[in-house]
């Protein structure tokens, strides 16, 4: 239960998404079995749709986990020539690299091991789409850091911004998550009010924020 949409809506949307027949099916099951959080199916389809419109050549992802989203997004579009993804946990980096190699996507997907904030500081490349999916309490920091790496007409996509409904409903807030919730609310408030950016919060999956520079 996501506490964002009704269960029957989520179940319905997932039921109409064609069942994957490739390795992604196995990778999603691996993630479920090993309790690794990966992008929700409906969010995955939504972002693939954005990719098909935007046709990015270069994408950056913060938070690789087992490499599921990196593989799914890269496979979804021939436009992607370079997909850089950053992961802090060595165990995840190793699994992701193995999965990427099995898909023969090593020449496109590059996994960088390290703390996203530190790696971005050193990163000089610029990207058409930046997908923020690492530590939720750090989203504002990540956002400010990656702006220098975002192409003029690039898009930033942040996952989990409604965080199991806690962002919109105080009654759902888990005490241990208070700081993350407070930081996410602050971030959403600031971005939504900032005229330099055009943004939209989409209540799909765990909540997706889309941001681009205003024209
Ligand atoms: C939700 S998972 C990423 C899922 C992946 N994008 C997918 O959909 O397949 C978040 C990942 O971010 C990583 N992470 C957390 N804090 C991080 C940090 N400071 N720098 C880099 N990665 C971090 C976690 O170890 C975890 O693997």
């Amino acid at each position: 239960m996501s506490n964002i949409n009704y269960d029957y809506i989520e179940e319905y949307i997932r039921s109409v998404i064609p069942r994957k027949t490739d390795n992604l099916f196995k990778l999603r099951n691996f993630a479920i079995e090993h309790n690794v959080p990966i992008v929700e199916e409906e969010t995955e389809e939504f972002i693939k749709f954005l990719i098909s419109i935007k046709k990015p050549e270069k994408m950056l992802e913060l938070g690789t986990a087992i490499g599921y989203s990196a593989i799914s997004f890269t496979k979804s579009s021939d436009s992607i020539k370079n997909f850089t993804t950053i992961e802090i946990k060595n165990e995840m980096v190793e699994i992701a690299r193995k999965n990427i190699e099995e898909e023969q996507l090593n020449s496109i997907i590059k996994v960088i091991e390290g703390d996203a904030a530190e790696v971005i500081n050193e990163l000089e490349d610029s990207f058409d789409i930046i997908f923020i999916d690492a530590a939720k309490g750090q989203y504002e920091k990540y956002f400010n850091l990656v702006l220098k790496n975002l192409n003029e007409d690039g898009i930033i996509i942040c996952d989990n911004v409604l965080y199991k409904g806690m962002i919109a409903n105080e009654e759902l807030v888990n005490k241990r998550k208070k700081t993350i919730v407070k930081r996410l609310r602050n971030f959403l408030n600031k971005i939504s009010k900032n005229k330099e950016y055009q943004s939209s919060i989409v209540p799909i999956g765990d909540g997706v924020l889309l941001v681009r520079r205003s024209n």
Side-chain angles (χ1 to χ4, degrees), residues 3-213:
N3 280 331
I4 290 164
N5 288 301
Y6 290 114
D7 287 355
Y8 69 88
I9 298 284
E10 263 178 19
E11 278 160 22
Y12 171 72
I13 295 175
R14 287 180 190 179
S15 78
V16 295
I17 297 173
R19 196 141 186 225
K20 297 196 171 57
T21 52
D22 57 7
N23 207 25
L24 286 171
F25 178 72
K26 277 192 254 160
L27 292 185
R28 183 171 286 283
N29 283 338
F30 175 94
I32 294 167
E33 266 172 43
H34 294 83
N35 274 323
V36 179
I38 61 167
V39 65
E40 284 87 350
E41 267 190 289
E42 58 274 30
T43 306
E44 177 187 358
E45 296 307 309
F46 178 62
I47 296 176
K48 278 160 59 181
F49 187 87
L50 296 176
I51 290 172
S52 75
I53 301 172
K54 180 75 184 153
K55 299 190 183 1
E57 255 189 50
K58 292 174 87 179
M59 267 188 83
L60 172 67
E61 173 183 71
L62 315 189
T64 317
I66 62 166
Y68 181 92
S69 49
I71 293 171
S72 170
F73 297 157
T74 302
K75 281 175 87 170
S76 77
S77 171
D78 288 341
S79 71
I80 302 173
K81 305 289 180 246
N82 171 309
F83 192 109
T84 301
T85 177
I86 307 168
E87 170 60 49
I88 198 165
K89 287 190 192 151
N90 174 263
E91 181 199 346
M92 287 294 138
V93 169
E94 285 180 7
I95 297 172
R97 286 194 177 135
K98 186 177 114 316
N99 289 334
I100 291 160
E101 201 175 315
E102 275 172 16
E103 291 283 345
Q104 300 182 332
L105 290 171
N106 327 39
S107 60
I108 300 178
I109 306 175
K110 180 172 150 203
V111 184
I112 302 178
E113 183 175 345
D115 176 75
E118 287 172 20
V119 174
I120 298 161
N121 264 329
E122 307 288 317
L123 206 61
E124 285 175 1
D125 290 7
S126 52
F127 301 89
D128 307 300
I129 295 184
I130 299 178
F131 179 46
I132 300 183
D133 195 19
K136 287 176 269 295
Q138 305 296 321
Y139 274 20
E140 185 171 3
K141 180 170 160 188
Y142 295 149
F143 180 87
N144 290 326
L145 284 171
V146 295
L147 277 174
K148 69 172 174 49
N149 303 90
L150 184 71
N151 282 336
E152 209 36 51
D153 57 352
I155 304 173
I156 294 181
I157 304 171
C158 304
D159 197 11
N160 311 105
V161 293
L162 294 176
Y163 201 16
K164 301 182 200 300
M166 290 187 276
I167 303 306
N169 186 345
E170 195 57 33
E171 284 173 20
L172 295 174
V173 178
N174 174 329
K175 269 189 190 159
R176 285 178 294 131
K177 307 287 182 190
K178 266 189 160 173
T179 306
I180 295 178
V181 169
K182 195 173 159 200
R183 288 183 180 179
L184 271 173
R185 283 181 184 156
N186 275 340
F187 173 53
L188 292 176
N189 260 325
K190 278 193 201 162
I191 288 295
S192 304
K193 291 195 177 93
N194 191 330
K195 293 204 169 69
E196 284 179 36
Y197 305 107
Q198 190 179 347
S199 65
S200 180
I201 300 168
V202 186
I204 190 168
D206 199 26
V208 173
L209 171 72
L210 306 178
V211 189
R212 56 178 299 225
R213 291 186 181 91

